[in-house]
Amino acid sequence: MPTDEPDTRNLFEEFVVPTYSRYDVVLVRGRGSRVWDEEGKEYLDFGAGIAVSTLGHAHPRMIEALDRQARKLIHTSNLYYTRPQGELARKLVELVDVQGKVFFSNSGAEANEAAIKLARKFGNECSGPLKNGSPKFEILTFHRSFHGRTIAGISATAQEKIKEGFAPLLAGFKHLPFNELAAVEKAITGETVAILIEPVQGEGGIYPASNEFLLGLRRLCDHHGLLLMLDEIQCGLGRLGNWCGWKEIVKEELVPDTISWAKGIGGGFPLGATWIRKKPIHSFTGAAVDLCDLLKPGTHGTTYGGTPLACATSLAVLETIEQEGLLQHARNHGDYAKKQLSALPGIKEVRGIGLMLGIELGEEFAPLAVNGKTPSQVIVVRSMQNGLLTVPAGPSVIRWLPPLNVSRTDIDEAVSILARSLDEIRPR
Ligand SMILES: Cc1ncc(COP(=O)(O)O)c(C=O)c1O
């Protein structure tokens, strides 16, 4: 870089909207589970771009797919058919193993937006009007949930800090205690049309739903004619050691009505997708229609959703997960990491499934909460200085979301960096 060029941090200060409080590091390249900053310092990347880089950085299969498709056709529009979008939709439906169809977008917030719009459409056209003639529209979500940063996303999200300053929000969301079925049963009214849930809450601090809760929600949805919508944006497509995250939790068959995906689906290439179940429903006019065909031409869309480049890349990522046995790998290595982490002094609990882990700090770290920083932020920064990237979730939880092909040696190294970081700043 020419010496008269400003520092990267200065470019951000002057030209980038300050929506993020960034760590004081400029990352320039990555390979496998490691990234390097502009000074050449190496880090183990156990945040993986917040559960995104499932194959790690610069995986040859992903590079090859990007290169091959980029030379053929990067983008056209959804005015035309393109082969990779059709093939990826088929692949995703096969992975769910239930008949359905897929709508493509670009991010998690948009994947949820499609599910929320589907619920509205279902309420408008198919689930019976209220006594006053207006459509049903209420969606139930859960305390600590996170569903994205659009207005619909923050309205669905139960965390107050995410909503602050953006009133009035979208009407029609009610937030309920997580894993408390009786509360849900009590909250369902004639206005309710759907339930939206993360099978493992991510941003809220890595809290898995229970088997009984998820099965109970399905029963309630069936009984009241509601849609069960799973937000698998963080926990889906391999992170929990299963294509379908909820199947690592439920002991019986559970078929959702929608699934939202993003993050890991493209291994780092932006893509969102919403699976909608093929399920016969009836409109008020009596016409039979499948749920997956309810969003008709002109009702929803996005310019970039499902470009040939995004879909060809995602296909390569999913095929690589399959061919390299990474579901089993994520399960084994997640169990291994959990065991090592649980043995560290000062750790209260390690929650999570597969490679979606939440490390809850013990009370002894509470005094680290000074100058507006939480204990988890302080430890994430110290670990980063010691060469390990992780992500805080709530005031006392550190998230580990490494690439699905992370090695045992990398896990051992990460555990020892975290142990050292905890020791260095443990209040005495
Ligand atoms: C469960 C869940 N839903 C939705 C989102 C929003 O995804 P995006 O940031 O891609 O819009 C996230 C992102 O963290 C998430 O974890």
Side-chain angles (χ1 to χ4, degrees):
M1 191 165 48
T3 47
D4 56 349
E5 268 292 302
D7 180 78
T8 303
R9 295 162 187 84
N10 295 342
L11 288 177
F12 274 64
E13 180 97 344
E14 196 166 348
F15 300 113
V16 177
V17 177
T19 49
Y20 308 99
S21 53
R22 295 172 197 268
Y23 299 114
D24 189 23
V25 166
V26 182
L27 295 176
V28 290
R29 72 186 174 91
R31 180 158 287 272
S33 295
R34 288 166 196 265
V35 288
W36 286 263
D37 71 14
E38 61 181 1
E39 266 109 44
K41 182 175 155 87
E42 182 177 314
Y43 303 83
L44 266 173
D45 185 5
F46 272 43
I50 319 188
V52 167
S53 310
T54 41
L55 301 182
H57 300 278
H59 193 287
R61 286 287 308 276
M62 213 180 141
I63 295 171
E64 197 266 330
L66 277 162
D67 181 66
R68 185 161 25 96
Q69 187 58 44
R71 288 168 196 280
K72 267 205 236 168
L73 186 65
I74 291 178
H75 174 79
T76 154
S77 74
N78 283 305
L79 297 176
Y80 310 100
Y81 295 103
T82 51
R83 187 82 198 166
Q85 186 175 138
E87 287 184 3
L88 179 60
R90 178 177 62 188
K91 179 80 192 166
L92 290 166
V93 171
E94 280 169 10
L95 296 180
V96 178
D97 203 17
V98 176
Q99 284 192 326
K101 290 184 181 175
V102 182
F103 172 81
F104 289 102
S105 52
N106 312 286
S107 66
E110 286 173 272
N112 279 338
E113 179 78 18
I116 291 166
K117 278 185 76 174
L118 178 81
R120 284 283 175 102
K121 197 84 179 146
F122 178 70
N124 270 253
E125 293 183 7
C126 304
S127 81
L130 300 172
K131 283 201 188 88
N132 64 8
S134 67
K136 294 182 180 181
F137 61 93
E138 188 179 74
I139 299 175
L140 307 180
T141 69
F142 296 95
H143 295 167
R144 286 192 309 251
S145 58
F146 182 78
H147 298 296
R149 295 283 191 164
T150 58
I151 289 288
I154 64 174
S155 305
T157 295
Q159 302 179 44
E160 276 314 309
K161 64 173 197 262
I162 305 258
K163 300 170 184 280
E164 248 167 52
F166 295 104
L169 294 181
L170 192 64
F173 291 94
K174 195 149 75 188
H175 311 311
L176 302 170
F178 191 66
N179 275 341
E180 289 185 28
L181 198 60
V184 182
E185 199 161 3
K186 218 160 108 197
I188 294 172
T189 67
E191 295 184 358
T192 314
V193 79
I195 297 176
L196 172 64
I197 181 168
E198 295 159 82
V200 178
Q201 293 185 322
E203 302 300 304
I206 313 290
Y207 289 94
S210 70
N211 168 57
E212 295 71 28
F213 190 56
L214 288 179
L215 291 173
L217 292 183
R218 181 67 273 178
R219 272 195 305 276
L220 286 175
C221 285
D222 289 342
H223 182 71
H224 294 277
L226 317 179
L227 302 181
L228 179 61
M229 311 199 297
L230 301 186
D231 180 343
E232 291 239 324
I233 287 161
Q234 192 159 149
C235 71
L237 295 179
R239 177 117 324 255
L240 304 190
N242 200 316
W243 293 117
C244 302
W246 77 92
K247 292 186 188 172
E248 284 298 296
I249 298 172
V250 293
K251 309 274 188 300
E252 295 166 31
E253 177 163 280
L254 183 158
V255 180
D257 297 307
T258 73
I259 310 163
S260 307
W261 292 300
K263 290 189 179 281
I265 192 174
F269 198 92
L271 181 65
T274 313
W275 173 89
I276 305 173
R277 180 179 178 181
K278 182 174 165 62
K279 171 174 163 180
I281 48 177
H282 286 274
S283 72
F284 300 151
T285 59
V289 59
D290 278 323
L291 185 65
C292 60
D293 292 325
L294 202 54
L295 292 175
K296 295 201 165 26
T299 59
H300 195 41
T302 160
T303 302
Y304 279 131
T307 67
L309 187 59
C311 292
T313 308
S314 171
L315 268 168
V317 170
L318 300 178
E319 280 163 16
T320 307
I321 292 176
E322 220 157 40
Q323 285 159 12
E324 295 186 359
L326 297 184
L327 298 183
Q328 189 61 43
H329 186 96
R331 245 177 274 150
N332 295 344
H333 285 64
D335 287 350
Y336 177 73
K338 210 171 180 177
K339 218 177 273 162
Q340 307 299 310
L341 288 166
S342 304
L344 293 183
I347 299 302
K348 184 170 162 202
E349 185 186 16
V350 184
R351 288 188 295 271
I353 303 172
L355 288 171
M356 183 172 180
L357 297 175
I359 306 158
E360 172 108 38
L361 300 166
E363 274 303 305
E364 65 189 279
F365 291 101
L368 294 180
V370 282
N371 302 330
K373 296 274 179 230
T374 64
S376 57
Q377 284 167 340
V378 174
I379 289 169
V380 164
V381 168
R382 179 55 66 104
S383 303
M384 183 188 82
Q385 288 160 349
N386 287 332
L388 170 68
L389 303 185
T390 54
V391 190
S396 59
V397 178
I398 297 162
R399 259 181 300 173
W400 274 22
L401 307 155
L404 301 186
N405 53 7
V406 68
S407 70
R408 213 166 245 237
T409 325
D410 286 343
I411 291 174
D412 288 340
E413 190 180 334
V415 170
S416 98
I417 295 176
L418 177 63
R420 176 150 60 93
S421 308
L422 291 170
D423 273 351
E424 283 170 4
I425 52 176
R426 173 173 281 114
R428 290 175 212 278

